[in-house]
């Protein structure tokens, strides 16, 4: 193996442009952790894996080793499992075959290393699944919402074309009487509807350039490579094709009806009267009913996701996130520093942090909760208990400084937290979470008991005396259950990286610059990364759920508006075709209130049928997205009632204007015009 100083690195395109101004890479070098490395190449602009990576190097470069022995060869250390294996399958092989072969290899390694490799399994998943698996439900729901809104828009277009066809029956009858064939009439009508769809598609494409930027800004942090999404030629062709196809499809029924009517009857009677009592009026009503059902479905879906977001955001994380600043300080590989050097560096950083203006308390931890850091887990042994090797219970592994619990507001429930006396050379101790105490010491007091990471037969194993129990935290996210955690003092378990946690009496981000300056004074080459408030990290952990609720709510709002427009159009058209009937009713004694209630009653029937159908479909939707819900049943009554109420109110507003117009009909005028 070449010496580490001779290893080269590969840069991301963004890092190369931003930090090195795109200089030629021949002879270009970068300094990392006080060592200089030649640049071997630059990745293409669209390459991003893992997400956020800016520099890639050989695997022996900066491998974080938890071993206490710098001389130990990482290649033979079976206690470190930090890497994800990525392989390109032979085209003739499948994932299932790879999983079978991998399991065989894992079994062989376990047989050769029974003390360290028992109980591990092998799983093969596609890289695509690994990258997009978590966001696929969001994308599927978004795609479904777009499709449902498209259906509502198409139903509105169909209603518009049907209404337009009613006024053209006389015109088409004249064309037929003059010799126009049915095929020609159908072709003429379809061309008109296709042009209508094309015009709408062009308008939609123009809006998409703005809408795409809005959607990307909402989902950029939660969706992998969202920033690379653009409206390209394929998208344009797809959108225009769907628009034209929709126009043709929903213009087909009016075209068939217009070309198949009796021209003699059409010339004798008014077109509005012909259609007003026909099956096509029922067809228009059915289309509006479908729109209402789809709108309710989307409103319920948005409501369920919003309720989930609310429930998760109100979940008690087990600590206080107010006025807390966090920052990552990584020394690099432990093979470069001795344990004493790591301790000295971390203690000086913590001491100086406590003296920064506005800092109330300062601490450090290996990994922050709510999925904001490294999630280390290992098996634990309990003194006096014998279990079969490989079946030891598993819990989280953490290391924290004496001030950490106070800085993040994590209450000590029993015993004590860490103190300055828990240093190197003093009896090794541990603080465990309440979930750990329940898992490992059910019905017992864990204080004074001894635990250890791994098994007594492992090299470097040591017993830790439990001195305290702290409240549970949600390390894997607010929507996951609290897990068992065991904490060791950083001074007794020095890791080369830590996350500073500063509790402040001022706005936390005002401490960012003083913190960077202070760390630079201790070590000029030491970077400070990941500076953020705990509130920001909390919001980041909720980002995907928030984006899901937002996006679906946007399309639910569009569906609501379109459904209201559709209902307004149908009621207005119905009033226009029933002026003679309304005039007769008023002539025989009906007052304006009766007419108003009549029109609202007709619209109410459509609304009622649409709501009933929508509830059925929404129940099915709730079951489909149940995996995206947390703490909210898929048939939450409150969500259904609110969604139905919002839709009913919107429908009522859409029906009021046509109903008022109906009350303005003059009986004498309507009877003369009929």
């Amino acid at each position: 193996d070449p010496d580490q100083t001779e290893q080269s690195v590969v840069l991301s395109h963004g890092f190369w442009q931003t930090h090195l101004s795109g200089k030629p890479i021949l002879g270009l070098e970068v300094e990392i952790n006080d060592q200089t490395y030649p640049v071997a190449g630059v990745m293409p602009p669209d390459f991003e894996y893992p997400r956020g990576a800016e520099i890639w190097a050989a695997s022996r470069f900066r491998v974080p080793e938890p071993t206490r022995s710098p001389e130990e060869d990482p290649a033979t250390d079976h206690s470190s499992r930090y890497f994800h294996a990525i392989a390109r399958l032979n085209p003739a092989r499948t994932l299932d075959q790879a999983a079978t072969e991998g399991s065989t290899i894992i079994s062989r390694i376990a047989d050769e290393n029974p003390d360290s490799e028992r109980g591990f399994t092998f799983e093969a998943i596609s890289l695509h699944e690994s990258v997009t698996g978590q966001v696929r439900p969001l994308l599927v729901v978004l795609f479904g919402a777009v499709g449902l809104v498209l259906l509502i828009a198409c139903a509105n277009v169909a209603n518009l074309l049907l209404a337009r066809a009613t006024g053209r029956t006389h015109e088409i009858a004249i064309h037929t009487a003059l010799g126009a064939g049915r095929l020609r009439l159908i072709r003429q009508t379809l061309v008109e509807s296709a042009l209508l769809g094309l015009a709408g598609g062009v308008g939609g494409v123009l809006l998409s350039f703005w809408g795409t930027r809005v959607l990307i800004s909402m989902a950029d942090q939660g969706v992998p490579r969202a920033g690379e999404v653009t409206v390209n030629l394929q998208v344009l062709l797809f959108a225009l094709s769907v628009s034209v196809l929709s126009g043709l499809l929903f213009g087909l029924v009016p075209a068939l009806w217009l070309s198949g009517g009796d021209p003699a009857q059409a010339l004798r009677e008014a077109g509005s009267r012909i259609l007003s009592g026909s099956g096509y009026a029922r067809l228009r009503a059915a289309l509006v009913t479908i729109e209402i059902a789809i709108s309710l479905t989307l409103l319920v879906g948005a409501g369920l996701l919003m309720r989930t977001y609310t429930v998760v955001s109100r979940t008690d994380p087990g600590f206080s996130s107010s006025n807390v600043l966090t920052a990552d300080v990584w020394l690099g590989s432990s093979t470069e520093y001795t344990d004493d050097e790591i301790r000295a560096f971390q203690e000086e950083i913590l001491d100086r942090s406590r003296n920064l203006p506005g800092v109330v308390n300062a601490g450090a931890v290996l990994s922050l909760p709510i999925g904001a850091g490294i999630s280390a887990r290992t098996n634990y042994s309990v003194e006096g208990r014998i279990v079969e090797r490989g079946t030891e219970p598993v819990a989280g592994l953490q290391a924290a400084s004496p001030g950490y619990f106070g800085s993040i507001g994590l209450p000590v429930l029993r015993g004590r937290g860490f103190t300055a006396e828990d240093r190197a050379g003093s009896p090794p101790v541990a603080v465990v979470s309440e979930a750990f105490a329940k898992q490992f010491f059910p019905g017992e007091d864990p204080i004074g008991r001894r635990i250890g990471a791994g098994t007594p037969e492992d090299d470097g194993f040591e017993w830790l005396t439990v001195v305290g129990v702290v409240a549970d935290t949600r390390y894997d996210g607010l929507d996951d259950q609290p897990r068992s955690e065991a904490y060791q003092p950083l001074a007794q378990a020095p890791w080369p990286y830590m996350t500073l946690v500063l509790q402040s009496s001022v706005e936390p981000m005002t401490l960012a610059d003083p913190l960077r300056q202070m760390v630079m004074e201790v070590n000029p080459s030491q970077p400070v990364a990941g500076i953020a408030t705990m509130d920001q990290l909390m919001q980041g952990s909720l980002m995907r759920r928030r984006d899901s609720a937002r996006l679906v709510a946007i399309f639910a709002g569009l569906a609501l508006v379109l459904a209201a427009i559709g209902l307004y159009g149908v009621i207005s058209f119905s009033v226009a075709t029933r002026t003679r009937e309304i005039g007769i009713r008023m002539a025989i004694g009906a007052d304006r209130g009766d007419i108003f209630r009549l029109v609202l009653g007709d619209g109410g029937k459509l609304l009622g049928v649409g709501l009933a159908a929508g509830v059925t479909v929404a129940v099915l939707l709730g079951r489909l997205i149940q995996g995206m819900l947390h703490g909210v049943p898929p048939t939450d009554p409150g969500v259904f009632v609110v969604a139905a109420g919002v839709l009913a109110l919107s429908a009522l507003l859409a029906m009021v204007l046509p109903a008022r117009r109906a009350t303005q009909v003059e009986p004498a005028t309507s009877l003369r015009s009929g």
Side-chain angles (χ1 to χ4, degrees):
D1 289 338
D3 185 80
Q4 278 193 336
T5 58
E6 298 175 2
Q7 289 188 355
S8 56
V9 296
V10 175
L11 309 178
S12 70
H13 188 273
F15 184 92
W16 178 51
Q17 293 291 331
T18 303
H19 297 278
L20 301 174
S21 303
K23 298 177 182 177
I25 64 171
L26 184 62
L28 190 62
E29 295 179 332
V30 293
E31 183 177 316
I32 304 173
N33 288 341
D34 297 327
Q35 294 192 32
T36 301
Y37 299 88
V39 176
V42 177
M43 297 302 294
D46 59 349
F47 182 85
E48 186 181 9
Y49 186 83
R51 192 177 187 190
E54 295 182 306
I55 301 177
W56 293 266
S59 62
R60 289 198 58 176
F61 176 78
R62 298 295 180 271
V63 178
E65 297 294 339
T67 174
R68 302 294 180 267
S69 174
E71 295 78 20
E72 186 173 358
D73 183 2
T76 62
D77 180 12
H78 287 267
S79 66
S80 301
R81 301 177 180 90
Y82 290 91
F83 293 97
H84 294 281
I86 303 175
R88 183 177 296 277
L89 285 180
N90 186 309
R93 312 294 284 177
T94 66
L95 276 177
D96 289 340
Q97 291 173 322
T100 301
E101 294 181 10
S103 297
T104 302
I105 295 173
I106 289 294
S107 298
R108 187 181 307 127
I109 295 176
D111 292 338
E112 295 173 355
N113 303 274
D115 292 339
S116 59
E117 300 299 332
R118 290 293 183 188
F120 289 92
T121 58
F122 182 90
E123 181 182 8
I125 61 174
S126 68
L127 182 60
H128 182 269
E129 174 70 21
S130 174
V131 173
T132 65
Q134 290 186 331
V135 300
R136 181 178 292 128
L138 167 62
L139 299 179
V140 170
V141 168
L142 181 59
F143 184 78
V146 172
L148 292 176
V149 171
L150 176 62
L151 282 178
I152 295 178
C154 288
N156 271 349
V157 171
N159 258 326
L160 173 65
L161 294 176
L162 282 170
R164 186 169 178 267
T166 302
R168 299 184 62 190
T169 54
H170 196 77
E171 170 198 343
I172 297 300
I174 294 176
H175 282 289
T176 304
L178 293 176
R182 186 179 188 188
L183 183 61
R184 180 173 181 178
L185 295 175
I186 292 176
R187 185 168 61 246
Q188 174 187 342
T189 308
L190 288 181
V191 167
E192 292 174 357
S193 61
L195 289 175
L196 181 64
L198 180 62
V202 171
V205 165
L206 294 177
L207 286 175
S208 70
F209 288 97
W210 170 81
T212 301
R213 289 195 294 270
V214 173
L215 293 178
I216 289 175
S217 66
M218 293 174 58
D220 184 41
Q221 298 300 317
V223 178
R225 305 180 66 177
E228 301 174 26
V229 176
T230 58
V231 181
N232 56 22
L233 181 61
Q234 290 177 319
V235 173
L236 292 177
L237 292 177
F238 174 78
L240 292 176
S241 299
V242 169
S243 301
V244 174
L245 182 62
S246 300
L248 289 172
L249 180 63
F250 286 88
L252 184 61
V253 173
L256 292 175
W257 174 76
L258 279 173
S259 62
D262 183 359
Q265 183 182 8
L267 291 172
R268 287 194 302 268
E269 301 185 30
S272 61
R273 287 199 300 271
I274 293 173
L275 195 60
S276 61
S278 70
Y280 289 96
R282 290 189 293 272
L283 176 59
R284 292 197 307 274
L287 289 174
V288 169
T289 301
I290 292 173
E291 292 181 37
I292 293 173
I294 294 175
S295 298
L296 180 62
T297 301
L298 284 175
L299 285 172
V300 168
L304 290 173
L305 293 176
M306 287 180 177
R307 279 275 295 133
T308 296
Y309 171 71
T310 301
V311 169
V312 174
S313 63
R314 292 177 178 175
T315 300
D316 181 12
F319 57 86
S320 173
S321 62
S322 300
N323 293 326
V324 175
L325 183 73
T326 68
D328 297 328
V329 180
W330 289 39
L331 276 173
S333 173
S334 62
T335 57
E336 296 180 24
Y337 301 93
T338 65
D339 287 351
D340 289 339
E341 290 173 335
I342 294 173
R343 291 189 190 95
F345 173 79
Q346 293 177 343
E347 288 174 2
E348 184 171 2
I349 292 294
L350 285 169
D351 287 340
R352 293 195 177 208
S353 295
R354 296 184 185 97
N355 294 323
L356 290 176
V359 172
V360 177
N361 204 345
V365 69
L366 175 63
S367 172
L368 286 172
I370 61 168
I374 300 170
S375 182
R377 294 174 67 82
T378 188
N379 55 312
Y380 281 88
S381 298
V382 176
E383 187 178 31
R385 294 182 190 169
I386 300 176
V387 296
E388 183 181 351
R389 175 174 285 277
T391 64
E392 299 90 348
V394 175
L397 172 66
Q398 295 296 330
S401 72
Y404 169 68
F405 300 128
S407 297
I408 204 169
L410 188 60
V412 178
L413 305 179
R414 280 172 285 173
R416 64 173 179 85
F418 297 134
T419 68
E421 301 302 317
D422 300 317
R423 56 183 181 269
S426 63
V429 296
V431 171
V432 300
S433 68
E434 190 171 19
F436 188 103
K438 291 178 180 178
Q439 177 185 357
F440 287 81
F441 303 99
E444 303 177 42
D445 184 3
I447 304 299
R449 301 292 297 274
R450 296 210 299 175
I451 61 173
T455 63
E457 294 79 14
D458 296 336
D459 292 337
F461 177 87
E462 62 179 357
W463 289 110
L464 313 173
T465 301
V466 177
V467 295
V469 178
V470 295
D472 291 331
T473 56
R474 299 173 186 266
Y475 261 87
D476 297 322
L478 289 174
D479 50 0
D480 284 321
Q481 294 299 315
R483 74 179 196 189
S484 301
E485 296 289 335
Y487 302 83
Q488 290 181 257
L490 267 176
Q492 294 182 353
W495 291 69
Y497 39 86
M498 65 177 177
T499 297
L500 287 173
V501 181
L502 308 182
Q503 183 185 25
S504 68
S505 59
V506 297
E507 168 59 36
M509 286 305 295
T510 61
L511 298 174
D513 289 338
L515 176 61
R516 289 192 187 95
Q517 182 62 35
M518 180 269 293
V519 174
M520 186 174 294
E521 291 173 359
V522 177
N523 185 342
S525 64
Q526 175 63 53
V528 180
I531 296 181
T533 67
M534 203 64 208
D535 284 331
Q536 290 174 333
L537 296 179
M538 291 276 287
Q539 288 301 313
S541 70
L542 296 169
M543 186 175 300
R544 191 163 294 154
R545 292 195 179 278
R546 182 192 62 201
D547 291 345
S548 300
R550 279 183 179 178
L551 293 172
V552 176
I554 289 174
F555 288 102
L558 289 175
L560 181 65
V561 172
L562 290 175
I565 292 174
L567 183 60
Y568 169 82
V570 166
I571 300 299
S572 295
F573 185 79
S574 175
V575 170
T577 58
R578 297 172 64 185
T579 54
R580 182 176 175 80
E581 174 196 341
I582 293 172
I584 293 173
R585 287 177 180 272
M586 297 183 72
I588 62 177
D591 59 22
R592 298 187 186 278
D594 295 330
I595 300 302
F596 189 83
R597 286 188 293 272
L598 173 68
V599 176
L600 287 185
D602 291 341
K605 293 176 184 177
L606 298 180
L607 176 62
V609 175
L611 289 176
V615 167
T616 302
V617 178
V619 169
L620 297 177
L621 173 68
R623 293 176 179 174
L624 287 176
I625 66 173
Q626 190 167 3
M628 299 178 65
L629 306 180
H630 177 79
V632 178
T635 55
D636 186 284
V639 171
F640 276 74
V641 170
V642 171
V646 170
L647 184 54
L649 179 60
S650 302
L652 180 63
L653 294 175
M655 293 185 291
V656 166
L657 188 58
R660 288 192 58 190
R661 191 181 302 122
T663 64
Q664 306 303 317
V665 171
E666 293 295 335
T669 303
S670 64
L671 292 174
R672 281 197 302 269
S673 64

